[in-house]
Amino acid sequence: MELKQLREKSADELKAHLAELHKESFALRMQKATGQLAKTHESRRVRREIARVNMLLGEKK
């Protein structure tokens, strides 16, 4: 999701999105550990999006 779209969300929506991203990150780590991860770039994308959401939550406080 782009930064512009994330900025439009409220703090509660961002927290919900962050929870989804953590679940996705966990699933990707499990796939990597079992050798089933085909798209290795996905874990990097999720990590960066988690950082973006955390940055926006800090700005909204």
Side-chain angles (χ1 to χ4, degrees):
M1 192 173 289
E2 292 186 18
L3 189 59
K4 184 184 276 188
Q5 295 169 332
L6 289 173
R7 285 189 192 275
E8 294 170 355
K9 292 188 173 194
S10 68
D12 291 333
E13 291 173 329
L14 286 173
K15 288 178 186 177
H17 187 61
L18 185 62
E20 289 176 24
L21 288 172
H22 280 294
K23 288 179 186 176
E24 186 177 352
S25 175
F26 178 76
L28 290 171
R29 280 185 288 149
M30 291 300 111
Q31 287 178 8
K32 182 178 180 184
T34 59
Q36 298 174 349
L37 184 61
K39 298 179 183 177
T40 56
H41 65 281
E42 286 296 313
S43 55
R44 182 178 181 186
R45 179 193 60 81
V46 171
R47 270 197 335 264
R48 288 182 175 198
E49 193 162 343
I50 288 172
R52 283 188 192 106
V53 171
N54 282 329
M55 176 196 66
L56 289 173
L57 283 172
E59 286 179 359
K60 293 194 183 262
K61 284 187 178 179

Short mmCIF file of all heavy atoms in Angstrom, two decimals:
data_model
loop_
_atom_site.label_atom_id
_atom_site.label_comp_id
_atom_site.label_asym_id
_atom_site.label_seq_id
_atom_site.Cartn_x
_atom_site.Cartn_y
_atom_site.Cartn_z
N MET A 1 0.85 -1.16 0.00
CA MET A 1 0.00 0.00 0.00
C MET A 1 0.90 1.23 0.00
O MET A 1 1.92 1.28 0.67
CB MET A 1 -0.89 -0.02 1.24
CG MET A 1 -1.98 0.97 1.21
SD MET A 1 -3.14 0.80 2.57
CE MET A 1 -3.95 -0.70 2.13
N GLU A 2 0.49 2.25 -0.74
CA GLU A 2 1.30 3.45 -0.84
C GLU A 2 1.17 4.31 0.40
O GLU A 2 0.18 4.24 1.14
CB GLU A 2 0.88 4.25 -2.06
CG GLU A 2 1.22 3.59 -3.37
CD GLU A 2 0.93 4.48 -4.55
OE1 GLU A 2 0.78 5.70 -4.36
OE2 GLU A 2 0.84 3.95 -5.65
N LEU A 3 2.16 5.15 0.62
CA LEU A 3 2.19 6.02 1.78
C LEU A 3 0.99 6.97 1.79
O LEU A 3 0.41 7.24 2.84
CB LEU A 3 3.50 6.79 1.83
CG LEU A 3 3.79 7.58 3.08
CD1 LEU A 3 3.80 6.66 4.29
CD2 LEU A 3 5.11 8.29 2.96
N LYS A 4 0.61 7.46 0.62
CA LYS A 4 -0.53 8.38 0.52
C LYS A 4 -1.80 7.71 1.03
O LYS A 4 -2.58 8.31 1.75
CB LYS A 4 -0.71 8.82 -0.93
CG LYS A 4 -1.80 9.85 -1.14
CD LYS A 4 -1.99 10.15 -2.60
CE LYS A 4 -1.01 11.20 -3.05
NZ LYS A 4 -1.26 11.68 -4.42
N GLN A 5 -2.00 6.46 0.66
CA GLN A 5 -3.18 5.73 1.11
C GLN A 5 -3.13 5.47 2.61
O GLN A 5 -4.15 5.51 3.29
CB GLN A 5 -3.30 4.39 0.38
CG GLN A 5 -3.54 4.54 -1.10
CD GLN A 5 -3.39 3.22 -1.83
OE1 GLN A 5 -2.65 2.35 -1.38
NE2 GLN A 5 -4.09 3.07 -2.94
N LEU A 6 -1.95 5.19 3.13
CA LEU A 6 -1.80 4.93 4.56
C LEU A 6 -2.06 6.19 5.38
O LEU A 6 -2.61 6.13 6.47
CB LEU A 6 -0.41 4.39 4.87
CG LEU A 6 -0.12 2.97 4.40
CD1 LEU A 6 1.35 2.64 4.63
CD2 LEU A 6 -1.01 1.98 5.10
N ARG A 7 -1.66 7.35 4.86
CA ARG A 7 -1.87 8.61 5.59
C ARG A 7 -3.35 8.93 5.76
O ARG A 7 -3.73 9.62 6.70
CB ARG A 7 -1.18 9.76 4.86
CG ARG A 7 0.31 9.77 5.03
CD ARG A 7 0.90 11.05 4.48
NE ARG A 7 2.34 10.98 4.38
CZ ARG A 7 3.17 11.24 5.38
NH1 ARG A 7 2.69 11.58 6.55
NH2 ARG A 7 4.47 11.16 5.21
N GLU A 8 -4.19 8.45 4.85
CA GLU A 8 -5.62 8.74 4.91
C GLU A 8 -6.33 7.91 5.99
O GLU A 8 -7.45 8.24 6.36
CB GLU A 8 -6.26 8.48 3.55
CG GLU A 8 -5.77 9.42 2.47
CD GLU A 8 -6.23 9.01 1.08
OE1 GLU A 8 -6.85 7.94 0.95
OE2 GLU A 8 -5.96 9.77 0.14
N LYS A 9 -5.69 6.86 6.48
CA LYS A 9 -6.32 5.99 7.46
C LYS A 9 -6.21 6.57 8.87
O LYS A 9 -5.29 7.32 9.17
CB LYS A 9 -5.66 4.61 7.45
CG LYS A 9 -5.93 3.84 6.19
CD LYS A 9 -5.42 2.43 6.31
CE LYS A 9 -5.84 1.61 5.12
NZ LYS A 9 -5.65 0.19 5.35
N SER A 10 -7.17 6.18 9.71
CA SER A 10 -7.13 6.62 11.10
C SER A 10 -6.16 5.75 11.88
O SER A 10 -5.66 4.74 11.38
CB SER A 10 -8.53 6.52 11.71
OG SER A 10 -8.90 5.16 11.84
N ALA A 11 -5.90 6.12 13.12
CA ALA A 11 -4.96 5.37 13.95
C ALA A 11 -5.46 3.95 14.20
O ALA A 11 -4.66 3.00 14.18
CB ALA A 11 -4.73 6.10 15.27
N ASP A 12 -6.76 3.79 14.41
CA ASP A 12 -7.32 2.45 14.64
C ASP A 12 -7.18 1.57 13.40
O ASP A 12 -6.86 0.39 13.50
CB ASP A 12 -8.78 2.54 15.06
CG ASP A 12 -8.95 3.14 16.45
OD1 ASP A 12 -8.00 3.01 17.26
OD2 ASP A 12 -10.00 3.72 16.70
N GLU A 13 -7.41 2.16 12.24
CA GLU A 13 -7.26 1.41 10.99
C GLU A 13 -5.80 1.02 10.77
O GLU A 13 -5.52 -0.09 10.30
CB GLU A 13 -7.76 2.23 9.80
CG GLU A 13 -9.25 2.43 9.77
CD GLU A 13 -9.70 3.38 8.68
OE1 GLU A 13 -8.94 4.31 8.33
OE2 GLU A 13 -10.83 3.20 8.20
N LEU A 14 -4.89 1.91 11.12
CA LEU A 14 -3.47 1.60 10.98
C LEU A 14 -3.06 0.47 11.91
O LEU A 14 -2.27 -0.40 11.53
CB LEU A 14 -2.62 2.84 11.25
CG LEU A 14 -2.62 3.91 10.16
CD1 LEU A 14 -1.88 5.15 10.64
CD2 LEU A 14 -2.02 3.40 8.87
N LYS A 15 -3.59 0.46 13.12
CA LYS A 15 -3.27 -0.61 14.06
C LYS A 15 -3.79 -1.95 13.56
O LYS A 15 -3.11 -2.97 13.68
CB LYS A 15 -3.85 -0.30 15.45
CG LYS A 15 -3.11 0.80 16.16
CD LYS A 15 -3.74 1.12 17.49
CE LYS A 15 -3.07 2.33 18.12
NZ LYS A 15 -3.71 2.70 19.39
N ALA A 16 -4.97 -1.95 12.97
CA ALA A 16 -5.53 -3.18 12.40
C ALA A 16 -4.68 -3.66 11.22
O ALA A 16 -4.40 -4.85 11.08
CB ALA A 16 -6.96 -2.95 11.96
N HIS A 17 -4.26 -2.71 10.39
CA HIS A 17 -3.41 -3.05 9.24
C HIS A 17 -2.06 -3.60 9.72
O HIS A 17 -1.52 -4.54 9.13
CB HIS A 17 -3.22 -1.82 8.36
CG HIS A 17 -2.50 -2.09 7.08
ND1 HIS A 17 -2.96 -2.96 6.13
CD2 HIS A 17 -1.33 -1.60 6.61
CE1 HIS A 17 -2.11 -3.00 5.12
NE2 HIS A 17 -1.10 -2.18 5.40
N LEU A 18 -1.55 -3.02 10.80
CA LEU A 18 -0.28 -3.48 11.35
C LEU A 18 -0.39 -4.91 11.86
O LEU A 18 0.52 -5.72 11.66
CB LEU A 18 0.15 -2.54 12.49
CG LEU A 18 1.52 -2.78 13.11
CD1 LEU A 18 2.63 -2.61 12.07
CD2 LEU A 18 1.75 -1.82 14.26
N ALA A 19 -1.49 -5.24 12.49
CA ALA A 19 -1.71 -6.61 12.96
C ALA A 19 -1.74 -7.59 11.78
O ALA A 19 -1.15 -8.68 11.86
CB ALA A 19 -3.00 -6.69 13.75
N GLU A 20 -2.40 -7.19 10.69
CA GLU A 20 -2.43 -8.04 9.49
C GLU A 20 -1.03 -8.24 8.93
O GLU A 20 -0.67 -9.34 8.51
CB GLU A 20 -3.31 -7.40 8.42
CG GLU A 20 -4.78 -7.41 8.71
CD GLU A 20 -5.57 -6.68 7.64
OE1 GLU A 20 -5.08 -6.56 6.49
OE2 GLU A 20 -6.67 -6.22 7.96
N LEU A 21 -0.25 -7.17 8.92
CA LEU A 21 1.11 -7.26 8.39
C LEU A 21 1.98 -8.17 9.23
O LEU A 21 2.80 -8.92 8.70
CB LEU A 21 1.74 -5.86 8.31
CG LEU A 21 1.19 -4.95 7.22
CD1 LEU A 21 1.75 -3.54 7.39
CD2 LEU A 21 1.53 -5.49 5.85
N HIS A 22 1.80 -8.14 10.55
CA HIS A 22 2.58 -9.03 11.42
C HIS A 22 2.20 -10.49 11.17
O HIS A 22 3.08 -11.36 11.16
CB HIS A 22 2.38 -8.66 12.89
CG HIS A 22 3.21 -7.49 13.32
ND1 HIS A 22 4.59 -7.52 13.38
CD2 HIS A 22 2.85 -6.25 13.72
CE1 HIS A 22 5.04 -6.36 13.80
NE2 HIS A 22 4.01 -5.56 14.00
N LYS A 23 0.93 -10.75 10.94
CA LYS A 23 0.49 -12.11 10.61
C LYS A 23 1.10 -12.56 9.29
O LYS A 23 1.56 -13.70 9.15
CB LYS A 23 -1.03 -12.19 10.54
CG LYS A 23 -1.71 -12.10 11.87
CD LYS A 23 -3.22 -12.16 11.71
CE LYS A 23 -3.92 -11.92 13.04
NZ LYS A 23 -5.39 -11.89 12.89
N GLU A 24 1.09 -11.66 8.31
CA GLU A 24 1.66 -11.98 7.00
C GLU A 24 3.16 -12.23 7.12
O GLU A 24 3.70 -13.16 6.51
CB GLU A 24 1.38 -10.84 6.02
CG GLU A 24 1.80 -11.14 4.60
CD GLU A 24 1.44 -10.02 3.64
OE1 GLU A 24 0.74 -9.07 4.03
OE2 GLU A 24 1.89 -10.10 2.48
N SER A 25 3.83 -11.42 7.92
CA SER A 25 5.26 -11.59 8.14
C SER A 25 5.56 -12.94 8.76
O SER A 25 6.51 -13.64 8.36
CB SER A 25 5.79 -10.47 9.03
OG SER A 25 7.13 -10.66 9.34
N PHE A 26 4.77 -13.33 9.74
CA PHE A 26 4.95 -14.63 10.39
C PHE A 26 4.77 -15.77 9.38
O PHE A 26 5.57 -16.71 9.33
CB PHE A 26 3.97 -14.79 11.55
CG PHE A 26 4.07 -16.11 12.23
CD1 PHE A 26 5.11 -16.38 13.10
CD2 PHE A 26 3.13 -17.10 11.99
CE1 PHE A 26 5.21 -17.60 13.73
CE2 PHE A 26 3.22 -18.32 12.62
CZ PHE A 26 4.27 -18.59 13.49
N ALA A 27 3.73 -15.67 8.56
CA ALA A 27 3.47 -16.70 7.56
C ALA A 27 4.63 -16.81 6.57
O ALA A 27 5.04 -17.92 6.19
CB ALA A 27 2.17 -16.41 6.83
N LEU A 28 5.17 -15.67 6.16
CA LEU A 28 6.29 -15.68 5.22
C LEU A 28 7.54 -16.29 5.86
O LEU A 28 8.28 -17.03 5.21
CB LEU A 28 6.58 -14.26 4.73
CG LEU A 28 5.54 -13.66 3.79
CD1 LEU A 28 5.82 -12.19 3.57
CD2 LEU A 28 5.50 -14.41 2.47
N ARG A 29 7.77 -16.01 7.15
CA ARG A 29 8.92 -16.60 7.83
C ARG A 29 8.78 -18.11 7.94
O ARG A 29 9.76 -18.85 7.78
CB ARG A 29 9.09 -16.00 9.22
CG ARG A 29 9.78 -14.64 9.17
CD ARG A 29 10.04 -14.13 10.57
NE ARG A 29 8.74 -13.74 11.14
CZ ARG A 29 8.45 -13.80 12.42
NH1 ARG A 29 9.30 -14.26 13.29
NH2 ARG A 29 7.26 -13.41 12.85
N MET A 30 7.57 -18.58 8.18
CA MET A 30 7.35 -20.03 8.26
C MET A 30 7.55 -20.69 6.90
O MET A 30 8.13 -21.77 6.80
CB MET A 30 5.93 -20.34 8.78
CG MET A 30 5.71 -19.99 10.22
SD MET A 30 6.83 -20.86 11.32
CE MET A 30 7.87 -19.53 11.90
N GLN A 31 7.10 -20.01 5.84
CA GLN A 31 7.31 -20.54 4.49
C GLN A 31 8.80 -20.60 4.17
O GLN A 31 9.27 -21.56 3.55
CB GLN A 31 6.60 -19.69 3.46
CG GLN A 31 5.10 -19.84 3.46
CD GLN A 31 4.44 -18.94 2.45
OE1 GLN A 31 5.10 -18.30 1.64
NE2 GLN A 31 3.12 -18.89 2.49
N LYS A 32 9.54 -19.58 4.58
CA LYS A 32 10.97 -19.56 4.31
C LYS A 32 11.68 -20.68 5.07
O LYS A 32 12.56 -21.35 4.53
CB LYS A 32 11.56 -18.21 4.73
CG LYS A 32 13.03 -18.09 4.43
CD LYS A 32 13.57 -16.72 4.81
CE LYS A 32 15.05 -16.64 4.49
NZ LYS A 32 15.63 -15.38 4.93
N ALA A 33 11.26 -20.91 6.30
CA ALA A 33 11.89 -21.94 7.12
C ALA A 33 11.65 -23.34 6.56
O ALA A 33 12.50 -24.22 6.67
CB ALA A 33 11.38 -21.86 8.55
N THR A 34 10.49 -23.54 5.95
CA THR A 34 10.17 -24.86 5.40
C THR A 34 10.56 -24.99 3.94
O THR A 34 10.33 -26.03 3.33
CB THR A 34 8.67 -25.17 5.55
OG1 THR A 34 7.92 -24.17 4.87
CG2 THR A 34 8.27 -25.22 7.01
N GLY A 35 11.11 -23.94 3.36
CA GLY A 35 11.56 -23.99 1.97
C GLY A 35 10.44 -23.83 0.96
O GLY A 35 10.60 -24.20 -0.19
N GLN A 36 9.31 -23.29 1.35
CA GLN A 36 8.18 -23.13 0.45
C GLN A 36 8.00 -21.72 -0.07
O GLN A 36 7.09 -21.46 -0.84
CB GLN A 36 6.89 -23.55 1.17
CG GLN A 36 6.87 -24.99 1.60
CD GLN A 36 5.64 -25.31 2.43
OE1 GLN A 36 4.91 -24.42 2.84
NE2 GLN A 36 5.42 -26.58 2.68
N LEU A 37 8.87 -20.81 0.32
CA LEU A 37 8.72 -19.40 -0.08
C LEU A 37 9.23 -19.21 -1.50
O LEU A 37 10.42 -19.35 -1.77
CB LEU A 37 9.47 -18.50 0.89
CG LEU A 37 9.33 -17.00 0.68
CD1 LEU A 37 7.87 -16.59 0.82
CD2 LEU A 37 10.17 -16.25 1.68
N ALA A 38 8.32 -18.91 -2.41
CA ALA A 38 8.69 -18.73 -3.82
C ALA A 38 9.07 -17.27 -4.10
O ALA A 38 10.02 -17.00 -4.82
CB ALA A 38 7.55 -19.14 -4.72
N LYS A 39 8.33 -16.34 -3.51
CA LYS A 39 8.57 -14.92 -3.76
C LYS A 39 9.33 -14.34 -2.57
O LYS A 39 8.73 -13.85 -1.61
CB LYS A 39 7.24 -14.18 -3.96
CG LYS A 39 6.45 -14.67 -5.14
CD LYS A 39 5.14 -13.93 -5.25
CE LYS A 39 4.31 -14.47 -6.39
NZ LYS A 39 3.01 -13.79 -6.45
N THR A 40 10.63 -14.37 -2.64
CA THR A 40 11.44 -13.93 -1.51
C THR A 40 11.36 -12.43 -1.27
O THR A 40 11.62 -11.96 -0.16
CB THR A 40 12.91 -14.33 -1.71
OG1 THR A 40 13.37 -13.78 -2.95
CG2 THR A 40 13.05 -15.84 -1.76
N HIS A 41 10.97 -11.67 -2.28
CA HIS A 41 10.88 -10.22 -2.13
C HIS A 41 9.68 -9.80 -1.27
O HIS A 41 9.63 -8.67 -0.79
CB HIS A 41 10.79 -9.55 -3.50
CG HIS A 41 9.55 -9.89 -4.26
ND1 HIS A 41 9.40 -11.08 -4.95
CD2 HIS A 41 8.39 -9.22 -4.43
CE1 HIS A 41 8.21 -11.11 -5.51
NE2 HIS A 41 7.58 -9.99 -5.20
N GLU A 42 8.74 -10.69 -1.07
CA GLU A 42 7.55 -10.36 -0.28
C GLU A 42 7.90 -10.04 1.17
O GLU A 42 7.31 -9.15 1.77
CB GLU A 42 6.54 -11.49 -0.33
CG GLU A 42 5.81 -11.60 -1.65
CD GLU A 42 4.96 -10.39 -1.97
OE1 GLU A 42 4.22 -9.94 -1.08
OE2 GLU A 42 5.04 -9.90 -3.10
N SER A 43 8.86 -10.76 1.74
CA SER A 43 9.22 -10.51 3.14
C SER A 43 9.82 -9.11 3.30
O SER A 43 9.54 -8.42 4.28
CB SER A 43 10.17 -11.57 3.67
OG SER A 43 11.30 -11.67 2.85
N ARG A 44 10.58 -8.68 2.33
CA ARG A 44 11.16 -7.33 2.37
C ARG A 44 10.06 -6.27 2.27
O ARG A 44 10.09 -5.27 2.98
CB ARG A 44 12.16 -7.18 1.23
CG ARG A 44 12.84 -5.85 1.20
CD ARG A 44 13.85 -5.80 0.08
NE ARG A 44 14.54 -4.53 0.07
CZ ARG A 44 15.39 -4.15 -0.86
NH1 ARG A 44 15.70 -4.96 -1.84
NH2 ARG A 44 15.97 -2.98 -0.81
N ARG A 45 9.09 -6.51 1.37
CA ARG A 45 7.98 -5.57 1.21
C ARG A 45 7.18 -5.43 2.49
O ARG A 45 6.86 -4.31 2.92
CB ARG A 45 7.06 -6.04 0.08
CG ARG A 45 5.86 -5.14 -0.14
CD ARG A 45 4.80 -5.77 -1.03
NE ARG A 45 4.27 -7.01 -0.48
CZ ARG A 45 3.31 -7.07 0.46
NH1 ARG A 45 2.81 -5.97 0.98
NH2 ARG A 45 2.87 -8.23 0.89
N VAL A 46 6.92 -6.55 3.16
CA VAL A 46 6.14 -6.53 4.40
C VAL A 46 6.91 -5.81 5.50
O VAL A 46 6.33 -5.00 6.23
CB VAL A 46 5.76 -7.97 4.82
CG1 VAL A 46 5.14 -7.98 6.20
CG2 VAL A 46 4.81 -8.58 3.81
N ARG A 47 8.20 -6.07 5.62
CA ARG A 47 9.02 -5.39 6.63
C ARG A 47 8.98 -3.89 6.45
O ARG A 47 8.85 -3.12 7.41
CB ARG A 47 10.47 -5.88 6.56
CG ARG A 47 10.78 -7.05 7.41
CD ARG A 47 12.27 -7.25 7.65
NE ARG A 47 13.16 -6.71 6.66
CZ ARG A 47 13.68 -7.39 5.63
NH1 ARG A 47 13.37 -8.65 5.46
NH2 ARG A 47 14.51 -6.82 4.79
N ARG A 48 9.10 -3.45 5.21
CA ARG A 48 9.10 -2.01 4.93
C ARG A 48 7.74 -1.38 5.20
O ARG A 48 7.65 -0.26 5.69
CB ARG A 48 9.53 -1.75 3.49
CG ARG A 48 10.99 -2.00 3.30
CD ARG A 48 11.42 -1.70 1.92
NE ARG A 48 12.87 -1.85 1.83
CZ ARG A 48 13.61 -1.35 0.87
NH1 ARG A 48 13.05 -0.68 -0.11
NH2 ARG A 48 14.92 -1.52 0.87
N GLU A 49 6.67 -2.11 4.88
CA GLU A 49 5.34 -1.57 5.13
C GLU A 49 5.07 -1.49 6.63
O GLU A 49 4.43 -0.56 7.10
CB GLU A 49 4.27 -2.42 4.43
CG GLU A 49 2.95 -1.72 4.41
CD GLU A 49 1.98 -2.27 3.39
OE1 GLU A 49 2.42 -2.98 2.46
OE2 GLU A 49 0.79 -1.98 3.53
N ILE A 50 5.58 -2.46 7.40
CA ILE A 50 5.45 -2.39 8.86
C ILE A 50 6.15 -1.13 9.37
O ILE A 50 5.62 -0.42 10.22
CB ILE A 50 6.02 -3.66 9.52
CG1 ILE A 50 5.09 -4.85 9.27
CG2 ILE A 50 6.23 -3.46 11.01
CD1 ILE A 50 5.66 -6.19 9.71
N ALA A 51 7.31 -0.84 8.84
CA ALA A 51 8.05 0.36 9.25
C ALA A 51 7.27 1.63 8.90
O ALA A 51 7.21 2.57 9.70
CB ALA A 51 9.43 0.37 8.59
N ARG A 52 6.66 1.64 7.72
CA ARG A 52 5.86 2.81 7.32
C ARG A 52 4.69 3.03 8.26
O ARG A 52 4.41 4.15 8.68
CB ARG A 52 5.34 2.63 5.90
CG ARG A 52 6.36 2.86 4.83
CD ARG A 52 5.72 2.85 3.46
NE ARG A 52 6.75 2.78 2.45
CZ ARG A 52 7.02 1.68 1.74
NH1 ARG A 52 6.31 0.60 1.88
NH2 ARG A 52 8.00 1.70 0.86
N VAL A 53 3.98 1.95 8.59
CA VAL A 53 2.82 2.07 9.47
C VAL A 53 3.25 2.53 10.85
O VAL A 53 2.61 3.39 11.46
CB VAL A 53 2.05 0.73 9.53
CG1 VAL A 53 0.98 0.77 10.59
CG2 VAL A 53 1.43 0.42 8.17
N ASN A 54 4.35 1.98 11.36
CA ASN A 54 4.86 2.41 12.67
C ASN A 54 5.23 3.89 12.66
O ASN A 54 4.98 4.61 13.63
CB ASN A 54 6.05 1.56 13.10
CG ASN A 54 5.63 0.22 13.63
OD1 ASN A 54 4.55 0.08 14.21
ND2 ASN A 54 6.47 -0.78 13.43
N MET A 55 5.82 4.36 11.56
CA MET A 55 6.18 5.76 11.44
C MET A 55 4.93 6.64 11.48
O MET A 55 4.89 7.65 12.19
CB MET A 55 6.94 6.01 10.13
CG MET A 55 7.27 7.46 9.88
SD MET A 55 7.73 7.83 8.17
CE MET A 55 6.21 7.51 7.31
N LEU A 56 3.89 6.23 10.76
CA LEU A 56 2.66 7.03 10.72
C LEU A 56 1.96 7.02 12.07
O LEU A 56 1.38 8.03 12.47
CB LEU A 56 1.73 6.51 9.64
CG LEU A 56 2.20 6.78 8.21
CD1 LEU A 56 1.30 6.08 7.22
CD2 LEU A 56 2.24 8.26 7.95
N LEU A 57 1.99 5.88 12.77
CA LEU A 57 1.38 5.84 14.11
C LEU A 57 2.12 6.78 15.05
O LEU A 57 1.51 7.43 15.89
CB LEU A 57 1.40 4.41 14.65
CG LEU A 57 0.35 3.48 14.07
CD1 LEU A 57 0.59 2.05 14.53
CD2 LEU A 57 -1.04 3.93 14.46
N GLY A 58 3.42 6.88 14.91
CA GLY A 58 4.19 7.81 15.72
C GLY A 58 3.86 9.24 15.42
O GLY A 58 3.80 10.10 16.31
N GLU A 59 3.61 9.54 14.15
CA GLU A 59 3.25 10.91 13.75
C GLU A 59 1.86 11.29 14.29
O GLU A 59 1.63 12.45 14.63
CB GLU A 59 3.23 11.04 12.23
CG GLU A 59 4.59 11.07 11.60
CD GLU A 59 4.50 11.18 10.07
OE1 GLU A 59 3.37 11.20 9.54
OE2 GLU A 59 5.57 11.25 9.45
N LYS A 60 0.96 10.35 14.34
CA LYS A 60 -0.41 10.64 14.75
C LYS A 60 -0.56 10.84 16.25
O LYS A 60 -1.56 11.35 16.70
CB LYS A 60 -1.36 9.55 14.26
CG LYS A 60 -1.50 9.53 12.75
CD LYS A 60 -2.66 8.71 12.31
CE LYS A 60 -2.71 8.65 10.82
NZ LYS A 60 -3.62 9.60 10.23
N LYS A 61 0.43 10.43 17.03
CA LYS A 61 0.35 10.60 18.48
C LYS A 61 0.52 12.03 18.89
O LYS A 61 1.02 12.87 18.30
CB LYS A 61 1.41 9.74 19.19
CG LYS A 61 1.02 8.30 19.21
CD LYS A 61 1.99 7.53 20.06
CE LYS A 61 1.53 6.07 20.10
NZ LYS A 61 2.41 5.25 20.89
#
